[in-house]
């Protein structure tokens, strides 16, 4: 696993260990945290390597699979860490594919719905090629992932590496970072702290939010499937960011006011996965956890994080 100490990566490490796998997690802790994998650190089937996967990669012994999840993923990171994002999507993908080739291992790439850019079709099927501004602020992430997909398919066609590509749509849940700049943690931080809720634009832009447990189930099934090529994994339940902000206000019982801020450049206006392919090739996979239930679990996690911070300060 690369990116094993991140939000999604850590959930995946827990799942893989619980499935009986022996897991080696590589992470340079750029946006991840050791606390995310703390419970696994003493486990006999888990090893953590503090390592930057854009450098030469070596692992002793055999490997069955490599899951490449390392990459900053928050819009705030697109401005803060542009070169690191481009490097981990390009050099990091090259190094991990090289290792997969050397070990005869299956390779699973964590790609993204951002490959579709600001889409002209909604919902987005895997056959849609996308609408991306390569030189915009978001281009560093979108193009890094598009390059990573191209490199993954080249290793498949040219070197025969067995590959899987997950096009992941917006995912949320415990272990997201309150300050990482994504919409859901932002709204929670503001609602729980009694601050204004900042909504970009008029808040009518849509997203489709998937609870992390459902995503992890989809990735596990994809890893074990025979399907080569991109598969959308996300929740087809589309909602506007204003609706999300209002729902978070409701479940936190907050009376914070909602205020508008200018829309960042190239912000996608709509985002919704067509998951017909996932249903077909992943044994009927679809999200099971209702958004409200997922948000309540996330609220409980963030409340606990804030409580721990208060007691650490006291
Ligand atoms: P995250 O920032 O929590 O996790 C990314 C992890 O990668 C972090 O632990 C970070 O330290 C590590 N990392 C970054 N550069 C590295 C490097 N050079 N070497 C080693 N480790 C490195 O983000 P996340 O939301 O968990 O995203 C995980 C993956 O899923 C990413 O590849 C992301 O593009 C993809 N994804 C996430 C979402 C989402 O909604 N969260 C949506 C689509 C795709």
């Amino acid at each position: 696993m690369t990116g094993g100490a991140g939000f999604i990566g850590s959930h995946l490490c827990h799942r893989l260990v619980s499935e009986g796998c022996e897991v080696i997690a590589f992470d340079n802790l750029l946006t991840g945290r050791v606390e995310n994998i703390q419970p696994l650190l003493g486990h006999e089937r888990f090893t953590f390597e503090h390592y930057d996967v854009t450098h030469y990669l070596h692992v002793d012994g055999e490997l069955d699979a490599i899951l490449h999840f390392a990459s900053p993923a928050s819009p705030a990171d697109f401005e803060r860490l542009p070169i690191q994002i481009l490097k981990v999507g390009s050099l990091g993908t090259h190094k991990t594919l090289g290792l997969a080739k050397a070990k005869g291992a299956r390779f699973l790439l964590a790609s993204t719905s951002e490959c579709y850019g600001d889409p002209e079709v909604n919902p987005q099927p895997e056959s849609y090629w996308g609408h991306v501004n390569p030189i915009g602020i978001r281009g560093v992430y979108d193009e890094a992932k598009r390059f990573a997909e191209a490199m993954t398919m080249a290793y498949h066609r040219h070197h025969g590496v067995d590959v899987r590509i997950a096009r992941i749509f917006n995912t949320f849940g415990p272990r997201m970072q309150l300050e990482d700049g994504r919409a859901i943690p932002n709204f929670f931080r503001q609602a729980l702290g009694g601050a204004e809720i900042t909504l970009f634009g008029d808040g009518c832009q849509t997203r489709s939010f998937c609870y992390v447990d459902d995503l992890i189930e989809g990735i596990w099934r994809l890893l074990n499937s025979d399907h080569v090529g991109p598969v959308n994994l996300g929740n087809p339940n589309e909602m506007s960011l204003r609706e999300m902000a209002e729902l978070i206000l409701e479940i936190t019982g907050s009376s914070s006011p909602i205020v508008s801020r200018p829309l960042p450049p190239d912000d996608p206006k709509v985002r919704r996965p067509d998951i017909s392919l996932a249903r077909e090739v992943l044994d009927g996979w679809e999200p099971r956890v209702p958004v409200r239930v997922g948000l309540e679990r996330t609220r409980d996690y963030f409340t606990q994080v804030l409580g721990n911070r208060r007691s650490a300060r006291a």
Side-chain angles (χ1 to χ4, degrees):
M1 271 289 317
T2 76
F7 159 52
I8 296 179
S10 63
H11 282 276
L12 205 43
C13 285
H14 281 84
R15 173 69 184 260
L16 291 168
V17 168
S18 77
E19 293 287 346
C21 305
E22 191 174 327
V23 178
I24 308 166
F26 286 87
D27 200 301
N28 66 353
L29 303 180
L30 182 62
T31 54
R33 291 169 300 165
V34 172
E35 299 90 89
N36 287 342
I37 46 167
Q38 197 74 45
L40 290 174
L41 287 180
H43 199 287
E44 57 181 9
R45 279 187 277 104
F46 184 78
T47 311
F48 175 63
E49 299 277 354
H50 187 180
Y51 195 76
D52 182 338
V53 300
T54 64
H55 297 144
Y56 172 74
L57 261 186
H58 172 79
V59 175
D60 282 331
E62 291 175 20
L63 287 179
D64 297 314
I66 297 178
L67 296 92
H68 183 35
F69 277 69
S71 173
S74 153
D77 296 334
F78 304 165
E79 289 192 63
R80 203 168 59 89
L81 304 167
I83 313 290
Q84 289 94 328
I85 291 174
L86 283 160
K87 282 176 75 175
V88 75
S90 55
L91 303 177
T93 304
H94 184 223
K95 297 290 185 295
T96 46
L97 276 163
L99 189 60
K101 177 176 168 246
K103 300 283 184 186
R106 181 167 289 184
F107 181 84
L108 187 148
L109 173 70
S111 185
T112 169
S113 59
E114 301 301 325
C115 287
Y116 300 126
D118 187 8
E120 293 146 312
V121 296
N122 196 39
Q124 295 85 52
E126 290 81 354
S127 54
Y128 177 53
W129 290 357
H131 181 227
V132 171
N133 173 6
I135 58 161
I137 304 270
R138 306 178 70 93
V140 297
Y141 183 65
D142 305 2
E143 295 296 7
K145 291 290 185 180
R146 288 162 67 98
F147 175 91
E149 288 199 7
M151 181 70 99
T152 300
M153 290 311 293
Y155 263 69
H156 172 65
R157 295 192 187 105
H158 199 69
H159 290 308
V161 174
D162 188 19
V163 302
R164 307 287 179 270
I165 298 175
R167 282 200 187 137
I168 303 169
F169 283 65
N170 292 74
T171 303
F172 71 98
R175 302 204 197 112
M176 290 189 101
Q177 295 199 57
L178 267 172
E179 284 80 20
D180 88 353
R182 294 184 241 201
I184 289 185
N186 260 358
F187 294 158
F188 270 115
R189 184 172 47 80
Q190 293 162 336
L192 293 169
E196 289 177 337
I197 307 279
T198 48
L199 202 54
F200 294 118
D202 58 9
C204 290
Q205 62 277 34
T206 67
R207 298 290 182 272
S208 303
F209 294 101
C210 183
Y211 187 63
V212 65
D213 289 0
D214 284 325
L215 175 78
I216 298 298
E217 177 62 26
I219 289 170
W220 174 250
R221 291 192 195 189
L222 179 61
L223 182 65
N224 291 298
S225 80
D226 294 330
H227 189 81
V228 172
V231 178
N232 287 340
L233 291 177
N235 192 334
N237 178 8
E238 184 180 16
M239 61 197 292
S240 74
L241 283 172
R242 181 172 290 277
E243 284 173 303
M244 175 53 83
E246 284 166 356
L247 188 52
I248 289 179
L249 281 174
E250 188 193 322
I251 66 163
T252 53
S254 166
S255 49
S256 291
I258 296 181
V259 297
S260 285
R261 293 277 179 273
L263 200 61
D266 304 326
D267 201 52
K269 283 176 249 339
V270 291
R271 176 72 81 232
R272 181 182 176 201
D274 178 335
I275 60 165
S276 319
L277 181 64
R279 282 197 180 100
E280 183 192 325
V281 299
L282 305 181
D283 204 13
W285 175 85
E286 59 182 19
R288 304 261 172 224
V289 180
V291 170
R292 174 183 278 271
V293 173
L295 286 173
E296 285 166 356
R297 292 180 196 167
T298 311
R299 172 201 60 197
D300 295 346
Y301 170 77
F302 284 144
T303 306
Q304 192 192 334
V305 168
L306 288 170
N308 291 347
R309 283 186 195 171
R310 269 193 294 277
S311 32
R313 277 198 302 269

